[in-house]
Amino acid sequence: MASNATAAAAAKCPGPMKAASQGAFQGENPLDYALPLAILQICLVVVVTRGLAYLLRPLRQPRVIAEIIGGILLGPSALGRSHKFLHAVFPPQSMTVLDTLANLGLLFFLFLVGLELDIPAIRRTGKKAIAIALAGISAPFALGIGTSFAFRATVVKGAPQGPFLVFMGVALSITAFPVLARILAELKLLTTDLGRMAMSAAAVNDVAAWILLALAIALSGSGSPIIALWVLLTAAGFVIAISLFLRPVLAWMARRSPEGEPVKEVYICATLAIVLAAGFVTDTIGIHALFGAFLVGIVVPKDGPFAGVLIEKVEDLISGLFLPLYFVSSGLKTDVATIKGAKSWGLLVLVIANACLGKIGGTVITSLFVKIPVREAVTLGFLMNTKGLVELIVLNIGRDRKVLNDEAFAILVLMALFTTFITTPIVMAIYKPARKTVPYKRRTVECAPGDADGELRVLACFHSNRHIPTLLNLVEASRGTGRRRLTMYAMHLVELSERSSAISLVQRARRDGMPFFNSKEQRTEQMVVAFEAFQQLSSVRVRPMTAISDLDTIHRDVIDSTADKRAAIVIMPYHKALHHDGSFQSLGSPYHAINKRVLREAPCSVAILVDRGLGGHAQVSAKNVSFAVAALFFGGPDDREALAYATRMAEHPGVAVTLARFRPSRLQPGEDDAADEAAVEAFKAKMGAVKDGSVQFEEPEARTREQVLETIESLSGFNVFVVGRMPPTAPLVERPDELGPVGSYLVSPGFWTSASVLVVKRYDPATNPKSKRFDPKARPPAATEEDALDEAEMGRAAVLPVAQSPMSEIA
């Protein structure tokens, strides 16, 4: 009898799964064993969540939406309704392993969140952002407590009152800081006044949410207030111990990891072990293991490469594989079928309405009180209503501690999904910041006779700091003389990938996107030194900027900034990088596409810079500049624009310019012949005015392709080639890329040189149809502070400055 009862119990409650099977050929099902089943689950989760992220990409939804939906679809609400699928792929005996892996991934992810959190920046948050954050927490928290009474009277009758009130208040008052950063960057609002205000308020909200969550966890224990008090006091003591004892140890590791040297493996291993140990301590205290990992991340020093190496070692594995398991683990606990009847659906509507009313209403009212315009205030309210991972953490802890039942859990998960999903489309509908379509006449380097003494504005883009020396040396050589001043807007193009941390994005989101100051990253410090030194030693004015976008849309930032800054030419980096053997290797098709889109849509001339190390790996001071420039002239508008740029370079006392004019064979005269002759004669006049022989003119007898190639090869000793993109000549290579028939040859393996190449395309509205949206007859907008500064330095004012808007008074 006893044996029969034991067998029945074993059949009813299957034992723990073994780790690995002996294989299908041995007659064993791999899905009955923990390791192959976990592998299948991870692969399935990654495929489903990434597939949904791809499908939702046109809607510009953050990836967290796809992960939440993917978890729900794999759970009992959709695919899990098939018991055969659920018991085969997610059997009950595998859930312990799945939850353990998911929480382990979540633990290290929260370590990364703490690692990227800048506490000093939060301390410097302005009063307006603090007021908005406090209102955005207190109003929904109060409505959450009110909503909890309706829940306890209907679907959660047996829940403990105190913890349930706190959990409901926290669930409704959270703002997802990382998700909000992604949404703002996707909508290109991150560097706007509105975006900075939203991120500052969300950072304060995030810290407050963690404190409230710790309180809720402490209260959800045994119910004894004495025990809850002990938990809170012990947790406070642990925080103090972390600050006093662990911080110096981590600082010592960081100091012993200097820039330029690899971080020792023992330091990485020790830090990750400390994360696990801290998680163990906080779990023992009773406030969940996540808090220990989060606190360790906060106290890791952010100076030097130590923190960056930790992120690189951990982020891809955790964010890509293990974190999605947490969303699926939540989805497997979410059964939408438990929401049935008018009462339950009414509660869902009630909790969504109260969440939106509290968060949006509190934020809007406070924003209006601090004199933020109505449209910006409403937009800020919807942005602050974004939910995300922390919301799911709160709900899962509440469910595990029996504070929430399955029905309440499903209702609150759907609330978080709905409020986050509506954020992007609503913000796109109600808030469309006006782009500065500043009317300006000079859209080319070649200027009208009356504008010969005007300022030349250059928007120079770069992907990494290795491009900076060549860029600075080129701009120095192009600075002109006298009143022909040059202003350089140096735009750092930063890819907004899934690996981009929310905090690092915020640190870069300065006025006009200037990331080069008040940042602790070593690479950024190198940029600071380069640009500050260049501005001090040269007459060129430098305005650093940053564009943070997806590579598919970052060209729009370049184009819009071109119009905002009234640039005459945009300099884009070539999409291929130079290797030590002199060959070029592509950075990828997205970088190629950026250049092609800018060439097609820019409202001014465009140049592609092929970097072969002009001046070496350091910026050359103005007095030491000694470059030889070869301008290859075949004719046509692009070549005339390239010649105008070379002519400007000839004004520099350390630059020698040689114009090589080619007359390719033509069946009939071209319509640009007269303009070409005028451009060449103007250069000859410049040559006559220069007495030191640094400006020369050559007209080789090169009419056939072979003669042209031979002539160009004889010029390989120059430092820079300046050519037009589409001259009227046959291609010198079989398959020219965006550099055109001549430029493509200058970067081909068949032409051996150490010279950098500047390929210029002249602005032409007829061939740039999309650039017509920058209407030159449009009414000029109000000047920004930087425009007023620029015009004051030039000694004239093209636009009148107006009073500062309330949104720009953000501390």
Side-chain angles (χ1 to χ4, degrees):
M1 293 291 293
S3 61
N4 292 338
T6 303
K12 192 171 184 180
C13 300
M17 305 176 74
K18 294 183 180 179
S21 72
Q22 298 181 22
F25 292 108
Q26 299 294 330
E28 294 183 348
N29 184 1
L31 298 184
D32 292 335
Y33 295 84
L35 180 59
L37 182 59
I39 293 173
L40 176 65
Q41 290 170 345
I42 292 174
C43 293
L44 180 63
V45 168
V46 171
V47 170
V48 171
T49 55
R50 292 303 175 101
L52 286 171
Y54 178 79
L55 294 176
L56 292 174
R57 193 171 183 179
L59 300 179
R60 307 177 82 172
Q61 294 292 335
R63 198 173 78 183
V64 66
I65 291 291
E67 290 170 333
I68 295 176
I69 294 176
I72 293 175
L73 292 179
L74 291 174
S77 302
L79 293 176
R81 297 185 71 85
S82 168
H83 293 287
K84 186 175 181 180
F85 168 81
L86 195 62
H87 286 285
V89 182
F90 298 103
Q93 61 269 29
S94 73
M95 295 311 297
T96 300
V97 176
L98 181 66
D99 287 343
T100 301
L101 290 174
N103 280 276
L104 191 63
L106 182 64
L107 183 140
F108 279 106
F109 181 79
L110 282 224
F111 165 67
L112 294 176
V113 172
L115 196 63
E116 296 161 350
L117 191 62
D118 188 2
I119 296 298
I122 296 178
R123 291 174 183 167
R124 295 192 298 267
T125 301
K127 295 180 180 179
K128 288 185 179 181
I130 293 177
I132 292 171
L134 293 178
I137 295 171
S138 56
F141 191 89
L143 287 177
I145 292 177
T147 307
S148 66
F149 290 104
F151 270 76
R152 294 188 75 250
T154 52
V155 298
V156 197
K157 295 182 179 180
Q161 182 173 357
F164 186 73
L165 296 180
V166 178
F167 268 101
M168 285 295 296
V170 173
L172 267 65
S173 61
I174 285 175
T175 295
F177 184 45
V179 178
L180 178 60
R182 290 285 311 175
I183 291 175
L184 288 171
E186 181 68 28
L187 298 178
K188 303 192 182 299
L189 299 176
L190 190 61
T191 58
T192 63
D193 294 333
L194 179 70
R196 290 193 299 275
M197 176 67 81
M199 292 304 295
S200 299
V204 177
N205 189 300
D206 208 37
V207 174
W210 282 104
I211 296 174
L212 291 174
L213 178 57
L215 175 63
I217 293 174
L219 294 175
S220 63
S222 64
S224 170
I226 301 297
I227 294 178
L229 180 61
W230 272 111
V231 169
L232 291 175
L233 291 177
T234 309
F238 179 72
V239 173
I240 295 173
I242 285 279
S243 301
L244 293 180
F245 302 111
L246 182 59
R247 184 194 293 269
V249 174
L250 294 172
W252 178 81
M253 293 183 187
R255 286 195 303 270
R256 293 179 64 88
S257 304
E259 182 70 27
E261 297 183 9
V263 178
K264 293 183 179 179
E265 185 268 343
V266 66
Y267 295 161
I268 302 295
C269 183
T271 305
L272 298 182
I274 290 172
V275 172
L276 295 174
F280 174 80
V281 173
T282 51
D283 188 79
T284 303
I285 292 173
I287 57 169
H288 209 285
L290 305 178
F291 283 88
F294 181 67
L295 290 172
V296 173
I298 288 178
V299 299
V300 170
K302 308 305 188 291
D303 296 320
F306 187 62
V309 171
L310 285 171
I311 293 175
E312 291 178 2
K313 295 286 186 183
V314 177
E315 186 172 28
D316 286 339
L317 179 65
I318 296 302
S319 299
L321 291 182
F322 289 102
L323 188 62
L325 294 180
Y326 190 79
F327 292 96
V328 171
S329 176
S330 302
L332 292 172
K333 303 170 187 174
T334 305
D335 189 0
V336 179
T338 59
I339 308 175
K340 52 188 176 181
K343 185 181 297 183
S344 296
W345 287 104
L347 284 174
L348 176 61
V349 174
L350 175 66
V351 74
I352 290 176
N354 283 347
C356 295
L357 179 63
K359 181 68 75 172
I360 299 172
T363 301
V364 170
I365 292 174
T366 307
S367 299
L368 295 175
F369 181 76
V370 296
K371 299 181 180 179
I372 292 177
V374 176
R375 177 173 292 185
E376 283 82 352
V378 175
T379 304
L380 198 57
F382 278 99
L383 289 171
M384 295 294 290
N385 199 34
T386 303
K387 311 295 182 185
L389 178 63
V390 181
E391 176 84 6
L392 288 185
I393 294 173
V394 172
L395 299 181
N396 275 282
I397 294 176
R399 186 183 181 279
D400 293 341
R401 303 217 166 197
K402 309 301 181 184
V403 176
L404 302 175
N405 61 15
D406 291 345
E407 186 174 358
F409 181 82
I411 289 174
L412 292 174
V413 168
L414 291 184
M415 178 271 295
L417 180 64
F418 177 81
T419 54
T420 305
F421 191 89
I422 65 173
T423 299
T424 299
I426 289 182
V427 170
M428 291 176 63
I430 66 177
Y431 185 74
K432 297 179 180 179
R435 305 299 303 183
K436 294 194 299 179
T437 55
V438 180
Y440 63 106
K441 296 181 180 179
R442 187 166 187 181
R443 296 168 181 260
T444 60
V445 177
E446 183 183 16
C447 56
D451 298 329
D453 293 332
E455 180 193 36
L456 177 66
R457 294 190 173 199
V458 177
L459 180 67
C461 303
F462 60 97
H463 294 298
S464 66
N465 56 356
R466 72 172 181 269
H467 297 130
I468 293 178
T470 293
L471 203 57
L472 294 182
N473 290 331
L474 177 68
V475 171
E476 166 60 30
S478 315
R479 60 179 168 85
T481 57
R483 296 188 60 191
R484 290 164 55 84
R485 298 190 58 183
L486 187 146
T487 297
M488 171 187 175
Y489 295 95
M491 174 173 276
H492 188 192
L493 303 181
V494 181
E495 178 185 5
L496 179 67
S497 65
E498 294 296 341
R499 298 184 71 249
S500 301
S501 71
I503 306 301
S504 63
L505 292 178
V506 176
Q507 290 173 346
R508 293 178 177 183
R510 301 290 185 250
R511 180 170 178 78
D512 287 321
M514 293 169 59
F516 304 103
F517 308 100
N518 302 325
S519 178
K520 297 179 179 179
E521 295 183 4
Q522 186 70 18
R523 293 179 182 177
T524 300
E525 291 175 358
Q526 295 173 0
M527 295 180 186
V528 171
V529 173
F531 284 106
E532 287 185 344
F534 179 68
Q535 185 157 255
Q536 291 174 2
L537 300 175
S538 173
S539 60
V540 177
R541 290 182 296 133
V542 181
R543 296 287 184 267
M545 305 169 62
T546 289
I548 307 173
S549 289
D550 187 273
L551 291 182
D552 290 337
T553 61
I554 201 168
H555 66 283
R556 285 165 33 202
D557 297 80
V558 176
I559 293 166
D560 291 335
S561 297
T562 301
D564 291 346
K565 304 305 179 185
R566 306 190 294 281
I569 187 170
V570 178
I571 300 178
M572 297 294 298
Y574 189 42
H575 73 278
K576 296 181 180 180
L578 182 67
H579 278 219
H580 59 85
D581 60 355
S583 63
F584 285 94
Q585 184 172 355
S586 176
L587 299 175
S589 58
Y591 293 91
H592 193 189
I594 293 172
N595 288 353
K596 291 191 290 186
R597 290 165 183 157
V598 172
L599 285 167
R600 185 171 61 248
E601 302 178 25
C604 67
S605 295
V606 180
I608 306 294
L609 175 60
V610 181
D611 182 7
R612 283 196 177 105
L614 176 62
H617 298 290
Q619 182 237 328
V620 180
S621 62
K623 64 180 180 180
N624 294 327
V625 168
S626 179
F627 299 143
V629 179
L632 309 183
F633 189 86
F634 292 82
D638 290 350
D639 275 23
R640 293 196 298 272
E641 184 73 352
L643 179 57
Y645 197 97
T647 303
R648 186 180 181 96
M649 297 177 74
E651 297 177 5
H652 196 290
V655 177
V657 177
T658 298
L659 173 61
R661 184 180 187 185
F662 299 87
R663 294 183 181 271
S665 300
R666 300 180 184 175
L667 297 177
Q668 56 185 3
E671 58 182 19
D672 290 328
D673 285 355
D676 293 343
E677 290 296 334
V680 172
E681 291 302 322
F683 180 83
K684 290 181 178 180
K686 168 71 69 175
M687 182 177 64
V690 178
K691 305 300 183 182
D692 59 3
S694 61
V695 180
Q696 298 182 10
F697 173 77
E698 298 179 0
E699 189 167 355
E701 291 292 334
R703 297 183 178 274
T704 66
R705 180 177 180 273
E706 290 73 18
Q707 291 173 334
V708 170
L709 293 176
E710 182 179 354
T711 302
I712 293 177
E713 288 176 0
S714 67
L715 301 173
S716 60
F718 284 79
N719 300 112
V720 184
F721 283 98
V722 181
V723 299
R725 179 171 177 257
M726 298 300 293
T729 185
L732 303 182
V733 292
E734 290 185 0
R735 299 178 62 183
D737 58 10
E738 80 271 21
L739 299 183
V742 178
S744 298
Y745 171 72
L746 295 177
V747 300
S748 66
F751 181 66
W752 183 261
T753 182
S754 60
S756 297
V757 182
L758 189 70
V759 180
V760 183
K761 175 185 179 295
R762 181 186 175 88
Y763 170 70
D764 183 5
T767 58
N768 288 41
K770 292 190 176 182
S771 70
K772 293 181 180 178
R773 60 194 175 104
F774 300 101
D775 184 6
K777 297 181 181 179
R779 182 179 178 182
T784 63
E785 290 181 351
E786 185 181 18
D787 288 329
L789 176 62
D790 289 347
E791 302 301 343
E793 290 185 0
M794 292 195 315
R796 55 189 175 84
V799 288
L800 296 177
V802 297
Q804 197 175 27
S805 68
M807 277 301 295
S808 62
E809 298 174 357
I810 299 175

